[in-house]
Structures are given as structure tokens and as C-alpha cells.
Amino acid sequence: MTLGLYPGCSLKGSSREYAESVITVAKAFNINLEEIKDWNCCGATAAHNMNKELSLALPARILSLAEKQGLKEIVVPCAACYSRLTMTKYELAKDPELKAAVTDANGLEYTGSVNVLNIIQMLDKYITPNLDGRVIKPFDHRVACYYGCLLVRPHEILKFDREEDPQSMDVLMLKAGATPIDWAFKTECCGAGLSVSRTSSVGRLSGKIIGDAKDRGAEAVIVACPMCHSNLDMRRDAINSYLGEKIDIPVLYITQAIGLALDLDRKALGLQRHFVKVTV
Amino acid sequence: MDYPPSVIMRMLQTGIPNLEDKVLRSFSIWVCLTCEMCFARCPMSIDIPKMMDFLREKSINEKKANPKAKEIVAFHKSFLDSIKYTGRLYEIGLFVDYKARTLKILDDLALAPKMMKRGKLNLIPEMIKDRSGIASIFRKSNKKNKN
Ligand code: SF4
């Protein structure tokens, strides 16, 4: 089976282990991920903070290219890109004038027909139904499933899971043999795009997340977003100095944790690339 | 934040030009992370994050961005410049450009070698083929904007 893939910039750079684990897990279930040819950056936070039309035109170009390539459905593992692509589809569907302006700027046909899946939706649709008998090495740990902002909000547009105390990742991790814990910071913001320009805010916001996970006995934090991952993992020094203690709970992408449960090769899942050593 | 989001909404509600000007010059609009939490919990369903996007764009276009937000704005500009020329984000280029804009040369210097060791930094930017297409998107969507 073939499914379209929009990797986005992070998965080609600082979060390449997310891409590696997504592709490795998909391959284990005979899913071929076909990358959208000549894709561009979705514009991320910078574009929607500075220029509305640009923030819609960039994702629209990606969706147009997918259409041109004949892809009916694409998976977008980065929660931030998923949010931008889904928001764009929503905005262009309800505003023909905006759609005309964006199509003109892009010079590409856009119908909005491509179905956009986030990573959890992709796993639920194509992997979980075939999971029976495949979990050879249950991920037998207490895990804090961290959803962050953009995977579940705004619900009016994304229509995925629920905004308060979402469950989709917890259910997946349960199937992978883990014990998801109840905790308070599932959907609090990690500091997102301020990682570089206001690292201290990220230390504080992400610090509260890691602190609560630790207080409730989590052995790993599970994420589905490269921004969340880099803030919780790469910014661990800032977090630990905010908390005034040394916390070494690792942060895993959901596809890495599932890959481990399937007993896939650790290196193929990119676990060696993390800042906080993955000991689980 | 200098004004909480609820106060920003009240200030705009009054329609007093002086208060609108204060909002556009506020620091709050730049530290808003668009986390969507206020919108999710607002009993009146006010789309505050969307208004924040609008206010930021207006603040830049009217050259009213709060001086305390210098680094945040610089980061956004460096980010957009990076994708304008290559179509994709080039992380090393972004860092260098951001440092040049803010003169924060020493910040995060220790991060780069650690990222490099873990294969998290590309030395060469990924360039898309249709760079003129991207340039045209930037040109056309910048017509109304001066940034
Ligand atoms: S979107 Fe988040 S950061 Fe921005 S005003 Fe609302 S709650 Fe605050």
C-alpha cells in the first residue's frame, strides 16, 4: 500500500529520527510512504505571525503538488505542519476569494481534495488494526503521553480527539504494552517556536511538563511533534536549571515507542540521536 | 505579557484609537505562542489566537513592534528569509542570520556541535527545484505587506 508523506523541514534536519522511525514502522506493515515531490516549508509559526496570505499560500502549494502527484491521502507526522495544512484546507474551503488569491500566487491548481492525516490517525487507520501478534517486546513502562497544542487544537477545525484530556495516544501506548499515566500537562504548551528567541520561557513551560511527568512516576514522555520533542529533549539543560534538579526521563516519538514494542532495530528508530539518553 | 489576552480584547472592544495603538505596541502579542488554549476554553468562543496573528501582522506593517520583541521578530524574519531562498528551512543558515540580526552571537553556541554529533544538522541546505515558484509566492503575498 502507498500513502503520501509530507515530512516537513524538521524531519529532514534536527528531528530526522522522527522520520526514520515513521518510515521504519510503516515499512514493517508494508506501507510505502511516497514523499511529495519538490515540497516546500509550510511556513510554520513565522509565516502565520507575519503574513496571513503567505501562511496559506505555502501549505496550499504543498497540497497542490500532492494532488498533481495523484496522492489522495498524505500523512503529516509533524504536528505543527499538520496544523498548518489542515488550517489552510479549512480557510480556503470557506473563502473562495482567498482561495483565488492563493491559487494565483502559487500558479498551481488547488481543489482541496487531499486527505490529511496526523501521525496518530495514520497509526490508527493502518497499523493498529494489524497489531495483533506483532507486539513482541511490550513497551512495559509508565508513560506520560504529551499531546501539546497543535495536534488537538482548535477542535472546531481539526476535529481530532478532544481538547481536554485527549486519549488517542494513551490508547495506542496501551496497545503497545505501556501503562499510560494520568497527569496534568498533556495539552499545555512547551514554548514552541520561542525555543531560540526566548529560551528562558521554554525552560519554564517545558520544565513544568517534565516536572509533572517525573512527579507522577513517568519513565518516558511520548510525543508526536518535533517542536515538542526538541524543547523537551534538546532544551533539557534549560529545563533542569529551571527545576533545579537533574531529570533524565527520555522523550520518545510515538513511532519510536511502537517500534520498540515491535522489536525493530533501535538504530533504525534513531534512538541514538537524542540528547537525553534513551534507557527504556 | 504586559497585558493579558482578556485585557487586549477589552482594549480593542472600546474602539479607542489610543488603546488600539497600545495593543499594537504591546509585548503580549509577540509572546503569544498561538497555543490555542484560550480559544479552546473561551466561553464566548472568541478566536484570540487568530486575532493575535492579525495584530502581529498589523504591528509589523505599521512599524509598531515592541522593542522587547526584537529577538522574536528577528527570528521570524530569519526563518522566512531562509525559506524564501531555498524553499525549505536551512537550520544553520537560520542561526547565522538570526545571530547577525540580533548580535546574540554566544547564545546556543554549545548546541550546534552537539546537534552535529547526532546527525541533526545539515551542512548543505536542501534546495527545492521550483525556487522561482516560491519567490513568486513571497512576492505576491508581500504586495500588501512591507516586511
Ligand atoms: S493562544 Fe495561547 S499564548 Fe496566545 S493568548 Fe491564547 S492562551 Fe495565550
Side-chain angles (χ1 to χ4, degrees), chain A residues 16-36:
Chain A
R16 65 184 66 226
E17 70 269 28
Y18 191 16
E20 289 165 343
S21 63
V22 169
I23 293 165
T24 304
V25 168
K27 218 163 102 195
F29 291 87
N30 292 319
I31 299 168
N32 169 40
L33 296 177
E34 185 181 321
E35 202 169 303
I36 298 170

Side-chain angles (χ1 to χ4, degrees), chain A residues 10 15 37 41 61 98 105-106 159 179 215 230-231 235:
Chain A
S10 299
S15 305
K37 291 189 191 83
C41 170
R61 179 179 183 275
L98 207 53
N106 284 357
K159 304 220 164 28
T179 309
D215 289 345
S230 52
N231 282 338
R235 294 293 180 193

Side-chain angles (χ1 to χ4, degrees), chain A residues 2-239:
Chain A
T2 294
L3 186 64
L5 169 70
Y6 175 69
C9 305
S10 299
L11 274 77
K12 291 282 176 179
S14 54
S15 305
R16 65 184 66 226
E17 70 269 28
Y18 191 16
E20 289 165 343
S21 63
V22 169
I23 293 165
T24 304
V25 168
K27 218 163 102 195
F29 291 87
N30 292 319
I31 299 168
N32 169 40
L33 296 177
E34 185 181 321
E35 202 169 303
I36 298 170
K37 291 189 191 83
D38 212 38
W39 59 266
N40 53 277
C41 170
C42 73
T45 312
H48 74 76
N49 272 355
M50 309 281 276
N51 182 333
K52 181 175 177 192
E53 196 177 320
L54 184 66
S55 78
L56 297 170
L58 290 169
R61 179 179 183 275
I62 299 162
L63 293 165
S64 292
L65 291 178
E67 283 181 25
K68 213 166 96 185
Q69 208 169 312
L71 297 167
K72 301 266 175 303
E73 192 168 59
I74 59 171
V75 56
V76 185
C78 167
C81 301
Y82 159 73
S83 158
R84 291 323 309 160
L85 264 59
T86 312
M87 296 282 232
T88 299
K89 270 187 74 174
Y90 175 86
E91 294 275 344
L92 298 188
K94 74 173 174 90
D95 189 340
E97 231 172 82
L98 207 53
K99 186 176 147 188
V102 162
T103 324
D104 171 60
N106 284 357
L108 286 168
E109 209 199 327
Y110 171 90
T111 67
S113 63
V114 178
N115 194 26
V116 177
L117 299 176
N118 65 41
I119 193 67
I120 315 289
Q121 289 168 322
M122 184 282 233
L123 293 168
D124 273 344
K125 192 164 175 185
Y126 298 109
I127 308 263
T128 345
N130 305 314
L131 211 54
D132 272 353
R134 297 290 302 267
V135 177
I136 355 187
K137 237 177 126 184
F139 193 79
D140 191 10
H141 300 285
R142 286 172 61 82
V143 296
C145 293
Y146 174 60
Y147 297 73
C149 310
L150 302 173
L151 204 56
V152 289
R153 285 194 299 266
H155 184 75
E156 284 74 3
I157 298 175
L158 303 179
K159 304 220 164 28
F160 170 67
D161 210 326
R162 50 187 202 188
E163 284 174 319
E164 307 284 351
D165 193 20
Q167 292 295 329
S168 52
M169 273 212 253
D170 294 66
V171 170
L172 262 172
M173 286 313 297
L174 201 62
K175 289 187 176 143
T179 309
I181 62 162
D182 229 355
W183 64 311
F185 283 79
K186 270 185 171 178
T187 57
E188 297 294 320
C189 183
C190 67
L194 294 185
S195 188
V196 175
S197 49
R198 261 180 90 84
T199 312
S200 61
S201 299
V202 170
R204 178 167 52 84
L205 295 169
S206 289
K208 290 183 178 165
I209 295 164
I210 292 291
D212 190 53
K214 185 217 143 201
D215 289 345
R216 294 175 195 248
E219 294 164 85
V221 176
I222 310 295
V223 299
C225 169
M227 257 203 303
C228 301
H229 190 273
S230 52
N231 282 338
L232 298 179
D233 179 64
M234 280 195 327
R235 294 293 180 193
R236 189 59 65 92
D237 286 348
I239 290 173

Side-chain angles (χ1 to χ4, degrees), chain A residues 9-10 12-17 35 38-41 43-54 57-58 61 87 91 94 104-106 149-150 153-154 156 163-164 187-189 191-199 205 229 234-235 237 272-275, chain B residues 27 30-37 39-41 45 50 53 56-57 60-61 68 71-73 75-77 79-80 83 87-89 91 95 98 107-108 111 114-115 118-122 126-130 133-134 136-138 140-145 147:
Chain A
C9 305
S10 299
K12 291 282 176 179
S14 54
S15 305
R16 65 184 66 226
E17 70 269 28
E35 202 169 303
D38 212 38
W39 59 266
N40 53 277
C41 170
T45 312
H48 74 76
N49 272 355
M50 309 281 276
N51 182 333
K52 181 175 177 192
E53 196 177 320
L54 184 66
L58 290 169
R61 179 179 183 275
M87 296 282 232
E91 294 275 344
K94 74 173 174 90
D104 171 60
N106 284 357
C149 310
L150 302 173
R153 285 194 299 266
E156 284 74 3
E163 284 174 319
E164 307 284 351
T187 57
E188 297 294 320
C189 183
L194 294 185
S195 188
V196 175
S197 49
R198 261 180 90 84
T199 312
L205 295 169
H229 190 273
M234 280 195 327
R235 294 293 180 193
D237 286 348
Q272 74 286 1
R273 297 191 194 277
H274 292 193
F275 275 52
Chain B
F27 185 44
W30 295 102
V31 274
C32 162
L33 290 151
T34 336
C35 74
E36 304 277 346
M37 190 65 98
F39 182 33
R41 293 183 178 165
S45 294
K50 197 173 195 174
D53 271 345
R56 285 183 280 253
E57 186 167 344
I60 283 288
N61 287 341
K68 264 169 74 193
E71 281 95 23
I72 297 172
V73 174
F75 185 80
H76 293 328
K77 285 192 172 157
F79 190 104
L80 290 181
I83 57 176
R88 293 183 189 169
L89 176 66
E91 285 160 330
F95 272 107
Y98 171 72
D107 284 20
D108 280 336
L111 207 57
K114 287 189 197 158
M115 288 176 75
R118 290 165 175 80
K120 280 174 172 276
L121 276 183
N122 292 330
E126 294 222 1
M127 295 248 190
I128 71 166
K129 286 197 213 89
D130 183 22
I134 294 293
S136 142
I137 296 179
F138 269 85
K140 292 198 171 158
S141 51
N142 265 345
K143 263 189 307 212
K144 291 175 256 116
N145 292 47
N147 57 64

